[in-house]
């Protein structure tokens, strides 16, 4: 006789069980009726509700979800508001949402804000050690001010947890210099300087598209949301500001020890992997303090919707184990509230480790049972023990987004359903779906009805078909309204930002940039990289019969070649090893290449002006070579780039 099958192993049964639990034990946010919300039409919605209840989602059957207003007028679900309104010292809270100075222990402080990052300081015999400085100079100014309200001791060292929160350091260093303190160790992973110099700390698997990763990042972190009103930002916000990175002058190796301000420090840089591999975890053995970027104040983003390299939950679990073995009595974390007390810390660490292990293992079990990524996002549900742990609250990322990433890391996009091996182009699929449903007006009617019923996920999908085939204001508004209602009901601030940003763009309120132009300092410092990256812009059609090699010689002595060969481009780092002599050699300043790379100037015009010189070949051949490449930044027609250009002009008095 077969044993009882685990409900979580059977997709159909599991989802039905989840549905019952969702109704019977779900949050009050789902059960309550919102003030002023129109009740759905029971007769019209009966069949649709039966379907939707099979695989529950906070974005469907949500017409009766009670919505409330919190800080700055933001509209959110009661579940979100309940967390937001917790007292700052509540044991149910694991992150900070407002400016706060926390005296964790004598001589130990944490500085929190509504941003995503904390700053920590530990006082020693003759000064303090600072851990992380913020995402930008504005963060640095705020954190430094908090530090000075806590202590007047000079800074002896700044330690970077990883490359993401290094950009407030310049403010710290400059303010300390005014006080006569210019001898500060800047400590970090040996690869920190390289990572920041090449990509600003946001590296894609293929660095050629890191600028897109940055654009997706600002969309994820509330940049396009207003300061006030129903759509306003209120938590986990990163708004781009001037960067203030100070290079690491004291790189540390794994298990290296130093004594600074009389405090013994041990550094862990190997085997610590979370959102980057360039982590620096710090252990202060005499004080039993761990400073880290491993423990976040919410369920961690095994997958971040902005993109990036795969974050292996196994590696994250191993990183937690390093902390557990140290048995800290004070835990200072980049993304979570600080904690004192060995027992409380161990409980937090164990819950965190269990939350990662559960999602990883249940995803793998689902894969063994034949589930694909679209099914895994419904079948893997956190048990109550972990779901209710403060350190695993899903107000940052959503577990439903994590499980497909594990699948894709193993198998890629193919879910083993042969019907999905080759798919229609999204626009053609939309056209055919609209025809199958009876035409555009019938689909609009279905989308509006779904919206009225509170089935916002379905309404958004229907509206997306409409927008793909007819990008009219009316169709965009239907989609925008569905996305907005989903945003108001999500617990995740990342998801909220994606949904509201795109709703606002559909309404013409913002223009979302698709690829951020490269920073001039990054281009000019790493010319080889940015000449190499240029190769991907070749026009396959215009270069299909071409065979031309150009050498780019820069006035600082660096030179590289690009060889266009019938729709493919080779980058040649050492021009002496090129396949043959250059057909044309051009000379320019590094800053001129920045203009070319960011499509801020037409190479042909620069050649005519003499800003690009010719030493081999002639101007006509040089212009012909550059004509093989497409522009990726359309400053004249892209609304987001036009807005960026106006901002740059206003701040620099120098139009792009």
């Amino acid at each position: 006789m077969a044993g009882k099958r685990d409900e979580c192993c059977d997709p159909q049964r599991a989802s039905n069980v989840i549905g019952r639990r969702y109704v019977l034990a779900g949050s009050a946010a789902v059960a309550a009726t919102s003030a002023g919300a129109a009740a759905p039409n029971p007769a019209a919605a009966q069949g649709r509700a039966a379907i939707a209840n099979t695989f529950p989602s906070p974005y469907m059957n949500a017409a009766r979800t009670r919505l409330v207003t919190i800080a700055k007028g933001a509209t959110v679900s009661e579940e979100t508001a309940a967390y937001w309104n917790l007292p700052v010292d509540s044991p149910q809270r694991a992150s900070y949402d407002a400016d706060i100075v926390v005296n964790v222990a004598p001589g130990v402080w944490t500085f929190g804000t509504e941003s995503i990052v904390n700053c920590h300081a530990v006082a020693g015999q003759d000064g303090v050690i600072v851990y992380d400085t913020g995402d930008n100079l504005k963060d640095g100014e705020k954190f430094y001010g908090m530090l000075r309200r806590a202590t007047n001791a000079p800074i002896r060292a700044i330690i970077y947890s990883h490359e993401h929160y290094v950009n407030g350091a310049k403010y710290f260093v400059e303010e300390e210099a005014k006080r006569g303190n210019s001898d500060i160790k800047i400590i970090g992973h040996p690869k920190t300087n390289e990572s920041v110099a090449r990509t600003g700390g946001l590296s894609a698997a293929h660095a050629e598209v890191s600028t897109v990763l940055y654009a997706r990042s600002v969309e994820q972190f509330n940049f396009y949301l207003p300061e006030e009103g129903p759509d306003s930002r209120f938590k986990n916000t990163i708004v781009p500001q001037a960067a203030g990175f100070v290079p690491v002058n004291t790189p540390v190796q794994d298990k290296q020890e130093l004594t600074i301000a009389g405090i013994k420090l041990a550094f862990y840089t190997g085997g610590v992997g979370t959102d980057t591999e360039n982590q620096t975890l710090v252990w202060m053995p005499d004080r039993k303090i761990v400073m880290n970027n491993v423990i976040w104040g919410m369920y961690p983003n095994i997958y971040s919707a902005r993109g990036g390299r795969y974050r292996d939950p196994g590696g994250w679990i191993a990183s937690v184990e390093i902390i557990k073995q140290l048995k800290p009595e004070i835990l200072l974390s980049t993304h979570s509230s600080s904690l004192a007390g060995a027992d409380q810390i161990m409980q937090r660490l164990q819950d965190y480790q269990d939350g990662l292990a559960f999602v990883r293992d249940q995803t793998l079990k689902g894969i063994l049972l034949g589930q694909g990524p679209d099914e895994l996002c419904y079948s893997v549900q956190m048990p109550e023990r972990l779901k209710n742990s403060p350190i695993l609250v899903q107000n940052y990322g959503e577990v439903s987004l994590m499980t497909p990433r594990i699948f894709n890391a193993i198998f890629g996009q193919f879910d083993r359903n042969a019907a999905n091996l080759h798919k229609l182009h999204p626009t053609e699929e939309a056209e055919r779906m609209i025809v199958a449903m009876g035409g555009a007006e019938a689909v609009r009617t279905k989308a509006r009805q779904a919206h009225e019923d509170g089935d916002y996920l379905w309404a958004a999908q229907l509206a997306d078909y409409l927008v793909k085939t007819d990008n009219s204001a009316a169709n965009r508004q239907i989609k925008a309204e569905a996305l907005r209602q989903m945003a108001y009901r999500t617990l995740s601030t990342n998801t909220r930002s994606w949904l509201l940003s795109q709703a606002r763009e559909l309404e013409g309120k913002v223009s979302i940039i698709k690829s951020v132009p490269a920073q001039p300092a990054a281009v000019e410092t790493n010319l080889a990289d940015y000449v190499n990256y240029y190769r991907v812009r070749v026009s396959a059609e215009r270069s299909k019969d071409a065979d031309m090699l150009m050498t780019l010689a820069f006035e600082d002595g660096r030179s590289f070649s690009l060889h266009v060969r019938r729709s493919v481009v080779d980058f040649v780092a050492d021009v002496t090893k090129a396949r043959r002599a250059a057909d044309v050699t051009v000379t320019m300043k590094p800053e001129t290449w920045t203009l070319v790379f960011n499509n801020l100037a037409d190479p042909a015009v620069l050649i005519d002006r003499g800003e690009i010189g010719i030493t081999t070949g002639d101007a006509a051949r040089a212009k012909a070579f550059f004509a093989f490449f497409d522009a990726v930044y359309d400053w004249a027609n892209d609304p987001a780039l036009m807005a960026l250009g106006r901002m740059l002009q206003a701040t620099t008095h120098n139009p792009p």
Side-chain angles (χ1 to χ4, degrees):
M1 179 177 174
K4 181 180 178 182
R5 193 175 189 188
D6 189 336
E7 290 172 343
C8 290
C9 296
D10 184 325
Q12 184 62 50
R13 187 177 183 192
S15 53
N16 287 335
V17 170
I18 293 160
R20 292 197 299 273
R21 290 174 181 164
Y22 188 85
V23 173
L24 297 175
S27 69
V30 174
T33 302
S34 60
N41 182 328
Q46 185 175 4
R48 290 185 296 274
I51 295 172
N53 278 334
T54 306
F55 300 99
S57 163
Y59 312 118
M60 299 185 73
N61 293 327
R64 292 182 180 273
T65 300
R66 181 172 172 78
L67 301 178
V68 296
T69 300
I70 60 170
K72 303 180 182 179
T75 298
V76 300
S77 71
E78 281 192 326
E79 187 179 10
T80 296
Y83 188 89
W84 173 264
N85 291 324
L86 286 171
V88 69
D89 58 350
S90 169
Q92 294 303 308
R93 173 183 286 281
S95 64
Y96 303 114
D97 297 319
D99 293 0
I100 186 171
V101 176
V102 182
N103 192 182
V104 184
V108 181
W109 300 274
T110 291
F111 314 114
T113 71
E114 71 169 12
S115 179
I116 193 174
V117 58
N118 302 324
C119 173
H120 307 285
V122 178
Q125 294 174 357
D126 63 345
V128 296
I129 296 170
V130 172
Y131 191 72
D132 281 333
T133 61
D135 194 65
N136 49 53
L137 282 175
K138 185 177 180 180
D139 278 356
E141 181 179 4
K142 179 173 286 189
F143 285 140
Y144 187 82
M146 291 176 167
L147 171 69
R148 287 294 158 240
R149 289 199 293 275
T151 174
N152 199 43
I155 296 173
R156 296 306 180 198
I158 292 172
I159 304 172
Y160 297 142
S161 67
H162 63 304
E163 63 266 45
H164 290 171
Y165 304 114
V166 300
N167 284 312
K170 183 179 178 183
Y171 191 88
F172 280 71
V173 169
E174 290 180 347
E175 289 302 304
E176 285 298 285
K178 294 175 184 177
R179 292 159 48 97
N181 176 23
S182 58
D183 184 18
I184 300 175
K185 293 184 183 297
I186 309 296
I187 300 172
H189 192 281
K191 293 183 179 179
T192 299
N193 291 350
E194 177 188 0
S195 177
V196 174
R198 295 186 67 185
T199 63
L202 286 178
S203 178
H206 293 281
E208 292 87 340
V209 295
S210 290
T211 53
V212 177
L213 188 63
Y214 190 87
R216 290 169 65 111
S217 295
V218 298
E219 188 174 353
Q220 177 169 299
F221 291 117
N222 299 327
F223 177 71
Y224 296 105
L225 305 191
E227 289 287 350
E228 297 181 345
D231 295 353
S232 63
R233 58 176 77 109
F234 64 89
K235 181 179 171 64
N236 295 330
T237 295
I238 298 177
V239 176
Q241 301 283 345
F245 172 60
V246 177
V248 170
N249 60 30
T250 309
V252 289
Q253 304 296 327
D254 190 40
K255 306 294 175 44
Q256 182 176 340
E257 296 182 355
L258 293 174
T259 298
I260 300 173
I263 303 173
K264 293 181 180 179
L265 306 171
F267 300 94
Y268 291 80
T269 60
V272 183
T274 60
D275 49 338
T276 80
E277 296 299 321
N278 305 327
Q279 302 282 330
T280 303
L281 183 150
V282 183
W283 170 234
M284 300 180 175
D286 294 343
R287 301 195 181 191
K288 304 295 183 184
I289 297 174
V290 163
M291 298 193 290
N292 75 99
N293 177 49
V294 174
I295 308 302
W296 295 9
M298 65 293 285
Y299 194 91
N301 266 355
I302 296 171
Y303 167 64
S304 176
R306 75 168 187 255
R309 296 178 185 273
Y310 176 54
R311 302 172 180 182
D312 183 356
W316 216 314
I317 291 167
S319 300
V320 180
E321 190 62 29
I322 291 173
I323 301 176
K324 286 173 65 178
Q325 294 302 317
L326 294 172
K327 299 180 180 179
E329 296 179 7
I330 295 176
L331 186 67
L332 306 179
S333 305
T334 297
H335 292 306
S336 67
S337 56
S338 296
L339 201 58
D343 291 343
Q344 296 95 318
I345 289 172
M346 194 57 65
Q347 184 64 59
R348 176 174 286 192
L349 296 174
Q350 191 62 63
D351 283 355
Y352 202 72
Q353 206 170 40
D354 288 353
L356 286 159
F358 178 86
V359 170
R360 177 197 61 185
D361 293 350
Q362 292 299 311
T363 299
L364 297 177
K365 181 173 69 174
I367 290 170
L368 288 171
L369 292 166
Q371 294 180 40
D374 295 337
E375 293 143 323
L376 290 166
C377 66
Y378 284 93
S379 66
V380 178
Q381 300 281 332
M382 295 277 276
E384 292 301 311
R385 172 179 75 86
L386 298 175
K387 182 179 179 181
N388 294 330
S389 172
I391 201 65
L392 296 173
V393 64
Q394 294 177 54
N395 64 3
Y396 186 68
E398 295 178 279
V399 168
S400 63
L401 300 182
M402 310 303 159
T403 51
R405 182 65 177 102
I406 297 173
F407 181 99
N408 288 328
I410 302 168
F411 303 109
Q413 72 271 24
F414 180 45
D415 63 359
R416 207 176 184 180
N417 180 350
N420 291 329
L421 192 56
H422 299 284
K423 302 184 73 172
L424 294 169
H425 185 281
T427 300
E428 182 160 346
E429 178 184 344
E431 291 170 348
R432 294 186 182 215
M433 290 296 290
I434 287 173
V435 171
M437 285 186 278
E441 192 54 45
V443 177
R444 273 188 285 272
T445 299
K446 292 178 187 295
R448 293 189 182 105
Q449 184 63 61
H451 191 280
E452 182 181 334
D453 294 341
D455 286 344
Y456 304 115
L457 186 58
W458 180 229
Q461 185 170 334
L462 292 171
D464 193 49
Y465 289 144
L466 292 168
V467 171
K468 278 187 170 69
T469 58
D470 177 10
N471 191 28
S472 67
N475 288 343
R476 291 198 305 271
Q477 190 61 45
I478 295 171
K479 182 178 177 182
E481 290 171 357
L483 296 180
R484 177 169 284 107
Q485 293 305 317
M486 291 168 65
Y488 290 165
R489 287 157 174 81
T490 185
L491 183 62
S492 165
T493 54
N494 284 183
T495 298
R496 186 177 190 271
S497 185
W498 285 105
L499 293 168
L500 283 178
S501 297
Q502 294 189 21
R504 292 171 61 78
E505 183 178 50
L506 287 161
E507 295 170 331
K509 295 176 180 176
V510 297
S511 297
I512 297 176
I513 200 163
K514 302 303 184 286
S515 177
V516 175
Q519 290 291 322
V523 177
E524 293 157 25
T525 303
N526 303 279
L527 275 174
D529 291 332
Y530 284 89
V531 172
N532 183 17
Y533 300 164
Y534 197 71
R535 75 183 196 284
V536 305
R537 305 182 186 184
V538 70
S539 165
E541 177 61 28
R542 292 196 302 277
S543 66
K544 64 182 180 181
D545 298 319
D547 184 358
M548 186 182 294
L549 190 149
M550 171 185 276
T551 293
L552 296 93
F554 295 94
E555 293 184 1
D556 61 3
R558 290 176 286 179
S559 60
F560 315 99
S561 295
L562 292 172
H563 187 182
V564 177
R565 297 184 299 102
R566 300 174 65 186
S567 303
V568 175
V569 181
D570 297 325
F571 168 71
V572 185
D574 183 348
V575 297
T576 65
K577 296 181 179 179
R579 295 188 181 191
R580 55 182 175 77
D583 297 290
V584 60
T585 300
V586 298
T587 60
M588 67 184 83
K589 297 177 180 178
E591 52 265 39
T592 302
W593 180 247
T594 300
L595 296 177
V596 174
F597 188 86
N598 284 334
N599 303 127
L600 286 166
D602 182 346
V605 173
L606 294 174
I607 290 169
D608 289 340
R609 290 178 184 169
E611 294 178 46
I612 294 180
I614 313 294
T615 58
T616 301
D618 54 38
R621 291 179 69 79
K623 291 178 182 179
F625 185 90
F626 281 115
F628 290 136
F629 296 86
D630 289 323
V632 296
Y633 301 111
D634 186 355
W635 295 88
N637 298 297
D638 184 325
L641 286 171
M642 292 166 69
L644 177 61
R646 289 191 295 270
M647 183 182 72
L648 292 174
Q649 184 174 8
T651 56
T652 65
H653 306 290
N654 185 21

